């Protein structure tokens, strides 16, 4: 016995793994799975598609281009970059209640926030409140790291420098008088951005942290004076700044400016005439860009986007259609049993 | 006689020191290891960076360091590169250690001894040992200092006697070379010079047989040995998939450059039209112009798009091959318990090629056959014995009891009791039959102890016949030059040996003339049936008919047959004949032809006794294996050193040649014209249109020609030499490829390699060579894949092989199971791998059009780093290690499943192109669906979600789902491991993503983890998940549809089998039945592996009786000694008495025998 064991010393182990006998599930694309599968997926997709489509249809959107390319457009006068501190009014009316909460967005087109060099042109360390990087901004910010006097720019980089600086005020015109419809600009940025990613240096007053630095070249006000009304909304955690810094994925994008959720307007914008007062500062015409404002409400699926609903419907129907085609093919060219496998 | 005494040994030692003192020494160790611990790191790194792929990634790394170009952080390349280099270095290190170990086990005995052997050493070899250096034979235990060796190169007997008294010896010899058939040198001692030639040399590669011991002087060791010089340069073998992959990688590089150029041009235009305006927000640095920006963009995109050729591809391929090699090592069904040898994959780089074999070149002896002859059947006086009634021969079948005969060989087995009965009943014909077998041969017997007989036969056939006679009560006991003693049914009788009419290849028969103790003169003759029949007396015509029937039956079963006949001689006539014979043999001219005439004269009017049938025992399962392999459309060529008849016979018995074949062509011309003529006539008979395609550098590719009917081709070695010449090789190849089976006999090792090279050159097919001996080494090295039969002695074939196992029948498992699976897995892997990386990369391409061609990546950099290494590595590896379309049993059941591999169906340029198109589609889905779904949309709380980071996360999640589902679709064998890998990788993705995007990570390194919060903020949105679902379904459904319709409309063999199996999957498969049909044959089953010359040897008087039993070590372990050694047929041309005995021989050219005569032997 011992001898026998020794003789078989080199015998490989008899395990399912070494002998490649692991139990396994061997699925096959058989008609019994594929055709019903297609039908089920098709029906499910049509169902989802209908839901999405209906939801999307129920979302109200009001959109105005105020770039001022057209001579008749109210902001035409401001589109000349030489005109400074230009204000224009955009008047519009709403026929029926624009259900709330209404969100107010500004939108830019042909604007490449996703350009690589633009995108890297910021200093995350500086923006997280590290004072060392106030004095020596990262190289990635170049050419907006230092001004011509070699003073460090805070916040540095292209993104911050190009921050959108048009300002909007909405009035409802009731019997000829303008009633301000307040925009709630708080909490429009991501919680993580506001609380973790962007931090002001823990120095009070905030202004002192910015000693020996200069504001970004295009900015009219330094970072610590962005919102004079609310001291907590200044520096790197200014909500509009945060929204801007979250750069868009595509060249056409919109960004949240404020919510209309106060007072009479909490239920939405009632029917009537409105006037939007625009402080027109941001030049886009030089690169053929467009600016717009958007009023929109949201649903469980977010903002209005009909694509998903339609796509689901189309694909669902195609699945059903293909299942029929496959059924026909299967019935007609059914894998011939008698042919079988050669030799059997 | 030379017994090495103590004194001798001292002299021998002196002798070897003497040699040491003037010769630079070559030790026997062969250095193959590349590294030592100190040089490992630099050498290995240097070597690794020589690989184009690694150099390319180094180049990428350099690009990434340039800030103007860098579009990705350095870690995206460094992490994979370091990982890859580490893994490869580890593998190289283990390979190196393993190759060192292999050397240690070369010799089954004391390994380090063989390695320490140096030139000039004198070594003692014992029976059954393997000669590991080229030796000058000094002396041996056998009479005449004969050494019996088994080898492929040197056949038969080698003997040399050499007296080492009072000498100051020196050997002068030729420089190391690769000629096996010659050796020149001189031995000087005692002032006399002795020439040394091939016959005094034992070459590395042979095995000592039936010789208790011998002493040899090491002339060449290690790499200088003839064998090593002859074994050809080991070339680095690569698989066809490797070569295809290299081409594809080049194409991919071209395509990469193409994509980058498009994007660079796009960037140029964008810069001119938009970028220059956009400068308000993004000023150009240093005032660069658009063209320069485009140039930089080109390189930036090279970095981003480099993932089309991911470095992990090469590592994964290596891992898969390694894994599949381990499966071969681990396979219990390829383990042979008798030798305790498992199969071994000695190379880990050729696995998938095993699934594509088109041609197998096989050795015969030791590979197809066991090299054991057994006396199986006979026909005596019109009665056939040995037939077994349709019962499988198992160990339990009733065997004949030979206990009545004390001298019987216990290992002999026979299954027909009728024959023993006939012997016991003293049937005169039966007695005459066995008497003939006991008398008419050239076997030598030795009896060490009373009753313990050992036969030393020159051919195993003869050994088998004499052993059979022995067991049936006609025991050949001993012989002297002029007598043969046999024990006939217990009674000792001595026959006077009057003449031996020796065997040769023309005569195909041998006869002896003896005088019985009663004084009767008798001629006994055995030989080829065709030859004997011509010389029979008319009176036996009836018996002839019956015997012919039996002979045909035997031949049909692939047995080797011999016809036996006898004749009583008239005393007067014989005396007269003997006189003439003596005259003829002393004549100087025409000696041979005169002798032949005399032989003709006396061997006539013979009386037929019967016929014998010897089985050249095939290894187990050989016919079944061959049938299976030929069903798998694999062509098998047998290349053997054996004689034509023997080879042909084996061809029949292992089902390679079949009776129902339309024709078996035999080419055996002796001149180029004859051979050309023969080849042409074959072609003219079956006129085929020839289709030539031109391949690459003007090498023509011979397409397979369609032939109706099955043909076989047998070609002789000397004809093959002409057929392989430049002008005729194409003709030969075409003819050979028309045939189902090709047998080349009497081929030299070089010719074996040439045949393989020929097929490799003109047929775009994968070849495999299988053999067991040193003569197969060249062929094994030449073929795409070399397989060595391991287990017994002689490891050369194994050492130079890529795979080794103990039995030929394991070949079908290696090819049909392991090979097929490896090929399938590798192809699936490559297809999927290219798909997943192309898809990954193309998304960047599409994004380029929407981000100002700025080389902005779509995904997070961490995702790019980890995609190939972590998120998708294990599932695809799991698939490539575990996948099987049908299990092994069904693979055997349907050998046709092997055919797609031969046709390269699973991975080819076309398949690759399809992959790329599929990726293109998927990438468009994966980019444009998220694009459209995210466009202008917001979260359900109104906040932005169309930002770059959310988009990146969405796209990469969609991508990962899509490729994972695609993998699930590819995978046909879901083990628990696979499922774990697939689900685990997805879970890993989410775990890693949430970790990377967590607050903690950001706080540690703000600049490395800028995606903080993205996962939390966007993956809680329902439309994100709806988008993911949509892209996944959209990527997968067309594939499912396409495959389903394809299976329905034009199913492949694979689909058919799987469909067929679907209902039977859980049933046990039917047992493998391969019926080997036998039909009666019209051909002669004659095949006798005998060589000329031994008749003279046994009668010459130079045959020495073994000295009385010496106290030598136990020599009982002889096994089947009588049949166990086989000088192969190639020795047929060699005759110990090739020279006229009284011819004057010039001193320099003394043959070994004459050499013997010049030395006065003290023993006599």
């Amino acid at each position: 016995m011992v001898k026998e064991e020794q003789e078989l010393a080199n015998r490989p182990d008899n395990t399912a793994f070494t002998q490649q006998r692991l139990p396994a599930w061997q699925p096959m694309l058989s008609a019994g799975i594929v055709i019903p599968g297609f039908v089920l997926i098709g029906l499910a997709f049509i169902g989802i598609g209908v839901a999405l489509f209906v939801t999307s249809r129920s979302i109200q959107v009001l959109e105005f281009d105020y770039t001022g390319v057209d001579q008749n457009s109210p902001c035409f006068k401001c589109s000349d970059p030489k005109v400074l501190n230009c204000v224009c009014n955009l008047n519009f009316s709403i026929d029926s209640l624009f259900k709330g909460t209404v969100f107010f967005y500004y939108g830019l087109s042909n604007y490449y926030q996703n350009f690589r060099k633009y995108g890297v042109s910021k200093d995350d360390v500086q923006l997280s409140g590290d004072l060392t990087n106030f004095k020596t901004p990262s190289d990635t910010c170049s050419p907006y790291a230092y001004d011509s006097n070699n003073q460090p720019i805070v916040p540095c980089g292209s993104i911050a420098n190009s921050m959108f600086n048009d300002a909007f005020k909405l009035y409802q015109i009731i019997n000829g008088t303008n009633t301000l419809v307040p925009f709630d600009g708080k909490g429009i940025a991501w919680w993580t951005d506001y609380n973790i990613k962007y931090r002001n240096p823990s120095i009070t007053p905030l202004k002192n942290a910015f000693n020996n630095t200069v504001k970004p070249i295009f900015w009219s006000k330094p970072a610590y004076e962005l919102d004079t009304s609310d001291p907590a909304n200044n520096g790197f955690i200014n909500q509009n700044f945060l929204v801007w810094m979250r750069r868009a994925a595509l060249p056409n994008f919109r960004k949240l400016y404020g919510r209309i959720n106060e007072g009479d307007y909490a239920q939405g914008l009632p029917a009537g005439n409105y006037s939007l007062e625009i402080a027109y500062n941001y030049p886009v015409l030089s690169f053929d860009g467009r600016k717009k404002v958007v009023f929109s409400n949201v649903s469980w699926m977010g903002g209005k986007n009909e694509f998903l609903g339609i796509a689901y419907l189309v694909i669902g129907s195609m699945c059903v259609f293909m299942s029929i085609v496959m059924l026909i093919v299967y019935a007609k060219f059914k894998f011939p049993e008698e042919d079988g496998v050669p030799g059997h | 006689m030379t017994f090495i005494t103590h004194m001798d040994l001292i002299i021998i030692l002196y002798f070897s020191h003497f040699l040491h003192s003037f010769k630079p020494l070559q030790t026997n160790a062969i250095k193959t290891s590349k590294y030592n611990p100190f040089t490992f790191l630099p050498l290995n790194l240097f070597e690794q960076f020589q690989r184009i792929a690694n150099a390319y990634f180094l180049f990428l790394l350099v690009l990434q360091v340039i800030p103007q170009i860098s579009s990705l952080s350095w870690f995206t390349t460094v992490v994979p590169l370091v990982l890859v280099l580490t893994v490869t270095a580890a593998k190289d290190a283990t390979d190196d250690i393993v190759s060192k170990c292999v050397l240690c086990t070369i010799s089954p005995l004391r390994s380090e001894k063989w390695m320490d052997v140096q030139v000039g050493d004198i070594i003692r070899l014992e029976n059954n040992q393997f000669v590991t250096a080229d030796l000058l034979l000094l002396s041996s235990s056998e009479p005449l200092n004969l050494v019996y060796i088994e080898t492929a190169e040197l056949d038969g007997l080698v003997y040399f006697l050499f007296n080492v008294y009072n000498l100051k010896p020196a050997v002068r010899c030729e420089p190391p070379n690769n000629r096996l058939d010659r050796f020149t040198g001189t031995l000087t001692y005692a002032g006399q010079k002795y020439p040394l030639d091939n016959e005094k040399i034992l070459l590395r590669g042979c095995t000592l047989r039936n010789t208790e011991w011998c002493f040899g002087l090491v002339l060449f060791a290690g790499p200088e040995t003839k064998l090593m010089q002859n074994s050809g340069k080991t070339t680095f073998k690569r698989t066809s998939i490797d070569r295809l992959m290299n081409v594809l990688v080049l194409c991919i590089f071209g395509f990469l450059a193409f994509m980058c150029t498009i994007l660079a041009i796009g960037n140029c235009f964008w810069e001119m039209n938009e970028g220059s305006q956009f400068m308000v927000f993004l000023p150009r640095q240093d005032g660069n112009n658009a063209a320069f920006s485009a140039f930089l963009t080109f390189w930036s995109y090279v970095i981003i798009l480099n993932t089309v050729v991911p470095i992990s591809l090469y590592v994964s391929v290596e891992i898969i091959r390694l894994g599949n090699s381990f499966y071969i090592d681990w396979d219990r069904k390829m383990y042979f318990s008798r030798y305790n040898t498992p199969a071994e994959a000695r190379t880990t780089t050729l696995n998938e090629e095993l699934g594509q074999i088109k041609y197998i070149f096989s050795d015969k002896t030791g590979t197809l056959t066991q090299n054991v002859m057994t006396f199986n059947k006979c026909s005596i006086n019109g009665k056939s014995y040995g037939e077994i009634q349709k019962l499988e021969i198992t160990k339990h079948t009733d065997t004949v009891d030979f206990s009545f005969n004390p001298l019987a060989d216990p290992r002999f087995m026979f299954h027909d009791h009728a024959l023993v009965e006939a012997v016991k009943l003293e049937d005169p014909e039966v007695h005459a039959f066995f008497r003939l077998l006991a008398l008419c041969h050239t076997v030598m017997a030795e009896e060490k102890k009373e009753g313990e007989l050992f036969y030393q036969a020159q051919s195993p056939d003869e050994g088998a016949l004499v052993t059979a006679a022995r067991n049936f009560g006609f025991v050949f006991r001993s012989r002297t030059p002029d007598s043969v003693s046999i024990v006939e049914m217990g009674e000792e009788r001595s026959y006077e040996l009057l003449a031996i009419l020796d065997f040769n290849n023309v005569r195909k028969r041998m006869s002896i003339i003896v005088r019985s103790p009663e004084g009767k003169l008798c001629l006994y003759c055995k030989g080829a049936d065709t030859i004997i029949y011509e010389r029979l007396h008319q009176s036996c015509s009836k018996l002839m008919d019956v015997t012919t029937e039996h002979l045909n039956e035997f031949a049909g079963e692939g047995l080797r047959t011999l016809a036996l006949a006898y004749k009583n001689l008239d005393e007067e006539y014989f005396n007269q004949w003997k006189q003439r014979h003596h005259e003829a043999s002393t004549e100087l001219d025409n000696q041979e032809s005169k002798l032949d005439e005399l032989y003709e004269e006396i061997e006539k009017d013979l009386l037929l006794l019967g016929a014998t049938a010897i089985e050249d025992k095939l290894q187990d399962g050989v016919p079944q294996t061959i049938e299976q392999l030929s069903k798998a459309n694999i062509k098998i060529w047998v290349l053997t050193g054996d004689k034509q008849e023997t080879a042909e016979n084996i061809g029949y018995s292992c089902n390679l040649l079949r009776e129902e074949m339309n024709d078996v062509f035999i080419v055996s011309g002796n001149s180029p014209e004859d051979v050309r003529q023969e080849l042409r006539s074959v072609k003219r008979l079956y006129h085929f249109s020839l289709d030539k395609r031109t391949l690459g550098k003007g090498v023509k590719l011979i397409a397979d020609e369609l032939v109706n009917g099955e043909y076989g081709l047998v070609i002789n070695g000397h004809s093959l030499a002409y057929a392989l010449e430049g002008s005729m090789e194409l003709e030969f190849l075409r003819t050979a490829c028309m045939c189902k089976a090709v047998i080349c006999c009497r081929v030299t090792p070089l010719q074996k390699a040439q045949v393989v090279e020929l097929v490799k050159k003109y047929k775009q097919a994968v070849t495999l060579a299988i053999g067991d001996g040193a003569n197969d080494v060249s062929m094994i090295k030449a073929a795409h894949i070399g397989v060595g039969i391991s287990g017994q002695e002689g490891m050369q074939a194994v050492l130079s092989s890529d795979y080794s196992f103990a039995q030929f029948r394991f070949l079908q498992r290696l090819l049909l199971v392991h090979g097929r699976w490896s090929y399938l897995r590798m192809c699936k892997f490559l297809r999927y791998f290219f798909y997943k990386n192309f898809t990954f990369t193309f998304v960047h391409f599409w994004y380029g059009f929407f981000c100002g061609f700025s080389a902005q990546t779509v995904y997070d950099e961490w995702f790019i780093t980890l995609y190939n290494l972590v998120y998708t590595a294990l599932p695809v590896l799991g698939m490539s290690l575990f996948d099987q379309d049908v299990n092994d049993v069904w693979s055997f059941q349907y050998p046709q499943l092997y055919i797609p591999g031969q046709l390269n169906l699973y991975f080819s340029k076309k398949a690759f192109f399809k992959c790329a198109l599929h990726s293109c589609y998927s990438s468009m889905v994966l980019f444009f669906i998220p694009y459209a779904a995210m466009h202008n949309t917001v979260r359900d709380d109104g906040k932005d979600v169309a930002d770059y980071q959310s988009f990146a996360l969405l796209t990469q999640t969609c991508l990962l789902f899509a490729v994972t589902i695609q993998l699930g679709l590819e995978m046909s064998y879901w083990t628990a491991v696979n499922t774990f890998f697939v689900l685990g990788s997805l879970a890993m993705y989410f775990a890693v993503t949430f970790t990377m995007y967590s607050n903690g990570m950001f706080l540690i390194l703000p600049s490395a983890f800028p995606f903080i919060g993205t996962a939390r903020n966007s993956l809680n949105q329902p439309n994100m998940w709806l988008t993911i679902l949509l892209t996944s379904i959209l990527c997968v459904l067309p594939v499912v549809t396409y495959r389903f319709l394809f299976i329905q409309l034009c199913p492949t063999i694979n689909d058919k089998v799987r469909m067929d199996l679907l209902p039977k999957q859980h049933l046990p498969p039917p047992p493998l039945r391969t019926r080997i049909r036998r039909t009666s044959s019209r051909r002669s089953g004659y095949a006798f592996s005998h060589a000329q010359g031994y008749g003279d040897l046994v009668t010459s008087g130079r045959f020495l009786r073994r000295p009385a039993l010496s106290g030598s070590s136990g020599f009982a372990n002889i096994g089947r000694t009588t049949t166990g050694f086989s000088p192969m047929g190639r020795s047929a041309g060699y005759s110990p008495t090739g020279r006229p005995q009284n011819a004057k021989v010039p001193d320099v050219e003394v043959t070994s025998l004459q050499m013997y005569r010049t030395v006065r032997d003290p023993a006599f």
Side-chain angles (χ1 to χ4, degrees), chain B residues 767-820:
Chain B
T767 57
L768 178 146
I770 178 168
D772 71 321
N775 59 336
D776 305 315
V777 169
S778 59
M779 157 171 103
I780 283 172
K781 284 189 176 171
H784 290 106
I785 292 187
V787 177
I789 299 283
S790 60
Q792 282 179 312
E793 310 77 3
M795 294 284 284
Q796 265 87 6
V798 171
L799 284 180
S800 49
S801 68
D802 304 309
Y803 298 91
S804 70
F805 42 72
Q807 290 277 295
F808 182 78
R809 65 168 187 272
F810 295 154
L811 188 62
Q812 62 174 328
R813 195 168 170 83
L814 183 72
L815 300 188
L816 299 187
V817 178
H818 289 286
R820 208 174 64 80

Side-chain angles (χ1 to χ4, degrees), chain A residues 6-14 17-31 34-35 38 41 45 48 52 103 105 110-118 124-125 128 142-144 158 162 187-193 196-197 218 243 246-256 259 282-283 286-287 292 298-305 307-308 311-312 315 319 322 325-326 329-330 333-335 339-344, chain B residues 68-71 270-271 274 277-278 280-283 285 300 327 329-333 335 337 340 342 818 821 825 847 850-852 854-856 881-882 884-885 893-894 896 929 931-944 946-951 971-976 999 1002-1003 1006-1007 1010 1012-1014 1016-1017 1022-1023 1026-1027 1029-1030 1033-1034 1037 1040-1041 1043-1045 1047-1049 1051 1053 1056-1060 1062 1065:
Chain A
Q6 207 175 6
E7 271 175 5
L8 301 179
N10 291 334
R11 175 155 41 188
D13 295 336
N14 186 16
F17 169 60
T18 55
Q19 303 308 311
Q20 304 197 67
R21 280 189 275 103
L22 286 177
W25 173 55
Q26 291 174 268
M28 269 207 68
L29 289 180
S30 63
V34 174
I35 298 176
F38 265 66
I41 291 176
F45 267 50
I48 298 173
L52 282 173
F103 293 86
Y105 302 90
N110 204 25
Y111 192 104
Y112 286 85
Q113 262 204 319
N114 60 4
F115 196 80
R116 176 170 57 89
K117 284 178 189 152
Y118 178 88
D124 278 323
V125 181
S128 66
S142 171
Y144 296 113
S158 288
S162 62
I188 55 172
W190 285 9
W191 184 91
T192 44
D193 287 351
I196 292 156
K197 190 169 180 183
F218 289 0
V243 168
R246 183 150 285 281
R247 62 192 183 106
L250 299 163
N252 300 332
F253 58 88
R254 57 171 76 157
K255 286 182 180 290
L256 187 57
R259 274 176 298 215
Y282 205 70
S286 63
F287 54 88
K292 61 185 176 186
V298 297
S299 68
W300 60 270
M301 60 162 284
K304 190 179 183 78
N305 185 325
F307 169 79
L308 268 184
Y312 266 90
I315 291 164
C319 280
M322 278 320 291
V325 171
M326 285 192 233
V329 170
Y330 178 68
F333 300 89
K334 192 172 181 217
F335 181 65
D339 259 23
V341 177
H344 281 262
Chain B
Q68 279 80 14
I69 290 173
S70 172
S71 46
W270 189 87
E271 286 284 338
E274 319 230 358
Q277 320 300 326
F278 195 62
V280 182
F281 300 118
L282 186 71
Q285 289 160 352
S300 300
Y327 283 134
D329 294 348
W330 288 335
D331 195 335
R332 271 163 86 93
K333 290 182 180 143
Y335 167 80
S337 52
N340 189 21
H818 289 286
W821 280 348
R825 288 166 184 172
Y847 192 49
F850 296 90
C851 67
S854 60
Q856 173 67 54
L881 290 176
F882 295 108
Q884 32 186 286
D885 49 353
Q893 202 70 29
Y894 300 102
Q896 306 93 315
I929 298 284
Y931 172 92
M934 297 281 280
H935 187 70
N936 280 346
T937 196
V938 292
R939 280 164 39 142
D940 56 2
D941 59 0
K943 294 180 188 177
D944 294 320
D947 62 300
Y948 165 73
Q949 293 187 341
S950 303
F951 182 73
M971 201 144 64
S972 47
Y973 197 77
W974 286 77
T975 63
N999 305 347
F1002 177 80
L1003 292 176
S1007 51
I1012 172 184
T1014 314
R1016 274 171 283 169
N1017 282 299
N1023 59 355
L1026 286 174
T1027 312
L1029 176 67
L1030 184 68
I1033 291 287
L1034 212 51
L1037 280 195
V1040 175
T1041 316
R1043 292 204 181 158
F1044 179 78
L1045 291 179
I1047 291 175
Q1048 299 304 321
L1049 295 176
I1053 170 75
K1056 285 184 186 177
V1057 169
R1058 293 191 65 195
M1059 280 290 188
D1060 205 40
L1062 199 57
Q1065 227 153 36

Side-chain angles (χ1 to χ4, degrees), chain A residues 109-329:
Chain A
S109 296
N110 204 25
Y111 192 104
Y112 286 85
Q113 262 204 319
N114 60 4
F115 196 80
R116 176 170 57 89
K117 284 178 189 152
Y118 178 88
V120 296
S121 185
K122 60 173 180 168
D123 185 346
D124 278 323
V125 181
Q126 187 188 66
L127 293 171
S128 66
D130 191 329
L131 281 172
T132 4
N133 287 44
F134 274 53
K135 302 204 169 51
T136 52
S138 154
D139 290 340
T140 52
C141 286
S142 171
Y144 296 113
Y146 298 95
D147 73 348
S148 48
N149 301 324
N150 214 15
Q151 289 277 38
I153 297 173
V154 177
C156 71
S158 288
I159 310 180
N161 186 50
S162 62
M163 182 177 157
F164 187 74
N165 56 1
D166 282 3
F168 306 96
K169 276 181 181 159
L170 181 65
Y171 299 98
Q172 185 181 16
I173 307 172
I174 305 168
N175 306 326
T177 54
N178 287 357
T179 315
L180 184 70
V181 181
F183 287 138
D184 174 12
K186 284 195 185 109
I188 55 172
W190 285 9
W191 184 91
T192 44
D193 287 351
Y194 184 75
N195 289 295
I196 292 156
K197 190 169 180 183
Y198 295 86
R199 300 274 71 199
N200 281 328
S202 48
I203 290 177
T204 39
L206 183 58
K207 185 170 185 288
N208 289 353
F210 288 80
N211 287 340
N212 300 321
T213 66
V214 292
K215 62 181 169 51
I217 294 159
F218 289 0
W219 286 20
S220 52
K221 294 178 278 187
Y224 49 86
E225 286 170 4
L226 283 175
D227 188 349
T228 44
S229 59
D230 179 5
N233 194 22
N234 274 315
F236 300 150
I237 55 169
N238 174 278
Q239 295 276 349
N240 285 323
F241 177 69
L242 292 179
V243 168
W244 181 255
M245 291 303 284
R246 183 150 285 281
R247 62 192 183 106
L250 299 163
N252 300 332
F253 58 88
R254 57 171 76 157
K255 286 182 180 290
L256 187 57
Y257 186 80
R259 274 176 298 215
I260 303 170
N261 59 357
E262 285 172 28
D264 301 338
Y265 301 101
Q267 299 308 313
L269 292 176
N273 292 323
Y274 292 85
S275 171
L276 183 68
E277 184 188 299
I278 302 164
Y280 194 111
N281 298 318
Y282 205 70
V284 292
L285 276 176
S286 63
F287 54 88
D288 203 24
R290 292 288 178 274
K291 301 195 284 190
K292 61 185 176 186
V293 286
V294 181
F295 295 90
S296 169
N297 49 22
V298 297
S299 68
W300 60 270
M301 60 162 284
K304 190 179 183 78
N305 185 325
E306 294 192 349
F307 169 79
L308 268 184
I310 293 171
Y312 266 90
L313 282 175
V314 169
I315 291 164
S317 342
M318 271 170 53
C319 280
V320 175
F321 172 72
M322 278 320 291
S323 68
I324 295 167
V325 171
M326 285 192 233
L327 193 66
I328 292 169
V329 170

